Amino acid sequence: MNKEEWRRLITETLKETGLYSDNARDLIMGTFAQESNFKYTRQIGGGPALGYGQMEPATFNDIVVNFLRHKPELMGKVMKASSVVTLEPEMLVDNKKLMICMTRIHYLRVKEALPSNKDVWAMGEYWKQYYNTPLGRGTVKEFVENYKRYCL
C-alpha cells in the first residue's frame, strides 16, 4: 500500500470506531512509519512485537483486559471495524484495521491530548513518551525522519 492508501484506510477505520481526528490519523501514520517503515509485521530479530505498529502481545492484552473490557461499546466497534470475533495479539500480523484500532486505543489511554499533526517534532515527542517509552531505543529525530520519508 502507498501512503495515500494508508491514509484512507486509517481515516476510514477511525471513523468507523468514532475515534477519528486528523491528529490521530497522522500520529498513527508516523507510528507505523517509525516502528516498521510500513514494511515489517513481525519484530526483526525474533522479538515479540507484531504488526506495523510493532505492538507487543503484553500491551495488546493489557488494552483488551484493562481498557476495552470496561468499554463494551468501543470493543464492539473495534471488532466490527476489524471484522473479528475475538481479540488475539497474533491478529496484528495480518489485520491492518485491527492494527490501526489498537494503536489508536493505545494513544487514547494517554491523558495528555494528542499533539497537532502540523508539528511533526511534537508528534515524535508524544510517540517517544507514550508509545516507545523513554527507555525505548527509538528517537524523536528518527520519528521525524521516517515521517518525512514515508508519510509526506
Side-chain angles (χ1 to χ4, degrees), residues 14-149:
L14 294 180
K15 285 183 176 180
E16 283 181 66
T17 58
L19 298 174
Y20 179 80
S21 72
D22 290 349
N23 296 338
R25 178 200 59 215
D26 292 347
L27 182 59
I28 291 169
M29 290 279 296
T31 299
F32 288 2
Q34 171 61 21
E35 293 289 338
S36 68
N37 303 145
F38 290 98
K39 197 184 308 184
Y40 306 104
T41 58
R42 292 189 184 276
Q43 187 172 348
I44 296 173
L50 302 168
Y52 294 111
Q54 296 291 289
M55 183 175 285
E56 294 188 3
T59 301
F60 181 98
N61 290 328
D62 182 63
I63 290 169
V64 172
V65 171
N66 295 313
F67 188 77
L68 286 176
R69 187 176 61 144
H70 303 290
K71 299 189 178 303
E73 185 178 336
L74 179 57
M75 183 184 284
K77 288 178 181 179
V78 166
M79 293 174 80
K80 183 177 180 190
S82 53
S83 302
V84 299
V85 295
T86 62
L87 292 169
E88 304 295 332
E90 188 66 27
M91 295 173 173
L92 293 172
V93 172
D94 297 313
N95 191 322
K96 292 178 179 78
K97 286 189 163 196
L98 184 59
M99 290 178 220
I100 292 163
C101 290
M102 295 304 281
T103 302
R104 176 63 184 104
I105 292 167
H106 181 80
Y107 286 123
L108 183 66
R109 299 194 310 168
V110 174
K111 290 185 186 342
E112 186 178 331
L114 294 177
S116 168
N117 66 336
K118 307 284 188 244
D119 187 342
V120 178
W121 189 266
M123 288 195 302
E125 289 177 326
Y126 196 92
W127 161 82
K128 178 63 182 165
Q129 179 69 33
Y130 300 113
Y131 199 92
N132 182 254
T133 77
L135 299 177
R137 289 175 32 200
T139 67
V140 175
K141 183 177 183 280
E142 287 173 347
F143 180 99
V144 170
E145 290 168 355
N146 284 319
Y147 188 88
K148 289 177 179 177
R149 181 178 302 124

